[in-house]
Amino acid sequence: MSKAGVFRLRVPGEWRDAWLYKEHVLLWGRDGSLYMLDMERISKAVLAKHGPSRAGLLDYLILRNDWKASSAFRRIMSMPEVASAFFRDFRIEGNELDLTVSLEPIKIGHENTPGYLFDSAIYANRLYQATSEGLFESHFNPNHEIDEMPLMQFLEHETRCVSAQYMAVNASAEERGLWFAPIRLFDRDDYGYAEDEYWDVLGENEEGYPATPIRRSDNRMEQVADYSSACSSAARHLLNYTDAPIPGFLRAHDVRGRSHERAQFEEWMVTGYEQERSIQELTYKALDFRDPYGVRDDVVSDWDDGAEVLGNSNHRLLVKKGDVLEVVNVSAFENRDVAVKKNLDFGKVNLQDFGGSEILSTRDLASGFAIELFDSVSVVTASSVFRVYGEPAARIRTFRQSKRYKDVLAVVGERDLSLVGFIEFDDEAAF
């Protein structure tokens, strides 16, 4: 099992939520106000206070986390002298670096969202907020100053979870159901407002598309399942978490095209979903759960196996049975039925590796899963399990779908926000 170096950068303040988006940190104050910090300010502050070595670690492990995953980085880290220099500060501090920068964020002109904020998502310069009063959408563009950010209401009842990607927004409203709406973008000849319409001005988005003005999508949503406590994408498809131990699977109807006339590249766009179906039997079979009475070892019985999917990271599902965690893959390729198979990269993980604490929630990372416990946060990857945060967390955000922050956590604590990055290593000589 490999080890890991963990880098934490703390931003003092009493926050409710946080997102990393387009080289900016978006922060919610506890009164519902919105604030923004740009990454350049953070980088300069770390350089000035902690020096170039730790500023370099900040770049690779948090601000430009995509560099860490590049073949160029792996190649240069294969040189022992380079690896030794890179890990020098970790070696001195005992594998963990915990820094603090005191910066005053900029308050954004934003209409306060009604109700208590349960969840949020940012996609294509749209800010979605799931609250006790419904689902709301507003505009956010860090490259274009806007004094006011008008709210549009999508749902009028309590909404617990919101997810947005593949040109679609999905929302979970518990007994009110699971909801879906496409995000439609429209070109416009000039920037600004039009009568009875609100127009966004996009900079480069997370997928690297060029700047273009777009019109806000309408606020009509379609109910696609009767009950939903949370939802999450599995590639372009959707997983619906309910009171059942295994989430339901909704296969996506999608098309490949350009989101607007000026888009440089094509992308997948979800236009709807098939009826929700159960993947419980497939999941049990993938994990080799058998008939407990031994009558037939090739059939999964109706017996309650006690297995539960804790969460997913794209197509990977983290399954708990007793004190053991395992990972399976779920897929639905074109012209093929839904399939669930054991993930051979991830081995079995015992809950004792977390100290035996109860798992409160999970979040998705490119390399695995972030696990929230009562008093800490740990990360599970294919090669290791390690703690990244040693305090109770009020909110955890991860950004697997982003370009720059696929393996970064934003952890809201009692008195600050921690941006957390990590790097695994096998060569003990590096330390």
Side-chain angles (χ1 to χ4, degrees):
M1 182 174 287
S2 67
K3 296 182 179 180
V6 178
F7 188 103
R8 288 186 294 272
L9 180 68
R10 297 179 185 265
V11 179
E14 295 184 346
W15 311 114
R16 180 184 293 179
D17 202 352
W19 265 86
L20 307 186
Y21 186 70
K22 295 187 181 180
E23 302 182 48
H24 291 78
V25 183
L26 189 64
L27 297 158
W28 279 259
R30 294 185 184 174
D31 63 354
S33 300
L34 274 172
Y35 299 82
M36 185 175 66
L37 271 175
D38 67 79
M39 297 300 192
E40 185 177 0
R41 283 185 65 198
I42 294 174
S43 182
K44 288 180 178 178
V46 171
L47 177 62
K49 185 176 181 179
H50 300 285
S53 177
R54 297 191 179 187
L57 290 172
L58 173 72
D59 285 341
Y60 276 89
L61 302 187
I62 297 179
L63 304 188
R64 287 310 306 264
N65 187 249
D66 52 318
W67 292 349
K68 184 187 79 169
S70 69
S71 58
F73 179 72
R74 291 193 296 269
R75 177 70 179 88
I76 198 170
M77 289 297 288
S78 67
M79 304 175 186
E81 61 275 16
V82 175
S84 179
F86 187 86
F87 287 112
R88 174 183 174 277
D89 288 348
F90 285 121
R91 188 166 60 245
I92 293 172
E93 298 291 338
N95 297 11
E96 293 190 9
L97 294 174
D98 201 326
L99 315 181
T100 298
V101 292
S102 296
L103 295 171
E104 189 70 27
I106 299 171
K107 188 172 183 178
I108 302 173
H110 182 264
E111 183 181 346
N112 283 353
T113 308
Y116 179 82
L117 180 67
F118 289 115
D119 197 16
S120 61
I122 302 178
Y123 177 82
N125 281 22
R126 286 163 166 78
L127 169 58
Y128 296 98
Q129 299 175 92
T131 81
S132 57
E133 299 297 322
L135 176 66
F136 298 87
E137 179 201 72
S138 62
H139 176 282
F140 171 71
N141 188 342
N143 301 317
H144 182 73
E145 185 175 348
I146 293 178
D147 293 331
E148 294 185 2
M149 297 166 59
L151 289 174
M152 262 187 104
Q153 188 162 9
F154 273 59
L155 297 176
E156 296 182 352
H157 39 259
E158 183 173 283
T159 308
R160 288 284 180 158
C161 175
V162 60
S163 171
Q165 59 185 5
Y166 298 111
M167 305 305 298
V169 57
N170 302 288
S172 299
E174 296 191 325
E175 68 277 0
R176 297 295 188 101
L178 175 64
W179 297 82
F180 155 80
I183 300 174
R184 297 185 176 92
L185 307 184
F186 300 85
D187 277 341
R188 180 174 166 85
D189 293 332
D190 56 349
Y191 299 146
Y193 296 90
E195 184 178 357
D196 298 326
E197 293 177 336
Y198 178 60
W199 295 82
D200 299 340
V201 182
L202 283 177
E204 182 180 281
N205 64 19
E206 290 287 354
E207 292 75 28
Y209 299 130
T212 184
I214 59 175
R215 186 170 64 193
R216 179 189 299 278
S217 56
D218 62 40
N219 60 346
R220 289 172 294 182
M221 299 196 80
E222 170 191 356
Q223 186 178 2
V224 293
D226 293 334
Y227 181 87
S228 179
S229 58
C231 58
S232 181
S233 293
R236 296 184 299 278
H237 312 293
L238 194 65
L239 293 174
N240 182 29
Y241 291 84
T242 64
D243 294 334
I246 310 295
F249 184 90
L250 286 82
R251 186 171 190 146
H253 296 296
D254 48 38
V255 295
R256 195 174 183 92
R258 299 183 187 275
S259 55
H260 51 84
E261 291 180 2
R262 301 178 191 178
Q264 188 175 0
F265 305 103
E266 290 186 336
E267 64 175 318
W268 286 105
M269 296 179 284
V270 172
T271 59
Y273 298 99
E274 294 180 2
Q275 186 175 359
E276 180 179 354
R277 60 166 293 179
S278 172
I279 56 169
Q280 177 170 309
E281 184 176 346
L282 294 173
T283 303
Y284 285 176
K285 286 183 177 179
L287 292 171
D288 294 326
F289 296 159
R290 306 297 183 180
D291 182 347
Y293 303 107
V295 178
R296 296 182 62 185
D297 64 0
D298 61 341
V299 175
V300 177
S301 73
D302 292 333
W303 172 67
D304 180 5
D305 221 296
E308 176 188 6
V309 171
L310 300 179
N312 68 289
S313 181
N314 197 4
H315 60 275
R316 298 187 302 241
L317 278 63
L318 184 65
V319 187
K320 175 180 177 292
K321 184 176 186 296
D323 290 334
V324 175
L325 303 179
E326 292 194 66
V327 178
V328 298
N329 296 340
V330 60
S331 62
F333 296 108
E334 188 174 1
N335 299 322
R336 296 186 185 179
D337 199 3
V338 180
V340 180
K341 296 182 180 180
K342 184 177 291 188
N343 187 304
L344 299 180
D345 294 328
F346 286 77
K348 293 183 179 181
V349 176
N350 197 292
L351 287 183
Q352 296 305 315
D353 294 335
F354 303 100
S357 181
E358 179 184 359
I359 294 176
L360 301 180
S361 69
T362 67
R363 297 291 186 275
D364 52 340
L365 294 165
S367 60
F369 302 86
I371 307 294
E372 180 190 4
L373 309 174
F374 175 74
D375 58 356
S376 62
V377 181
S378 292
V379 165
V380 176
T381 70
S383 55
S384 190
V385 178
F386 49 92
R387 190 182 70 171
V388 296
Y389 188 80
E391 305 164 30
R395 178 90 70 179
I396 301 172
R397 289 285 175 210
T398 56
F399 313 95
R400 178 183 53 80
Q401 295 296 327
S402 70
K403 177 181 178 181
R404 295 181 175 90
Y405 315 114
K406 294 179 182 294
D407 257 347
V408 177
L409 298 86
V411 184
V412 178
E414 183 64 29
R415 295 176 298 277
D416 54 36
L417 164 72
S418 289
L419 304 181
V420 183
F422 55 88
I423 185 167
E424 296 180 87
F425 60 91
D426 295 314
D427 185 4
E428 304 239 358
F431 274 71

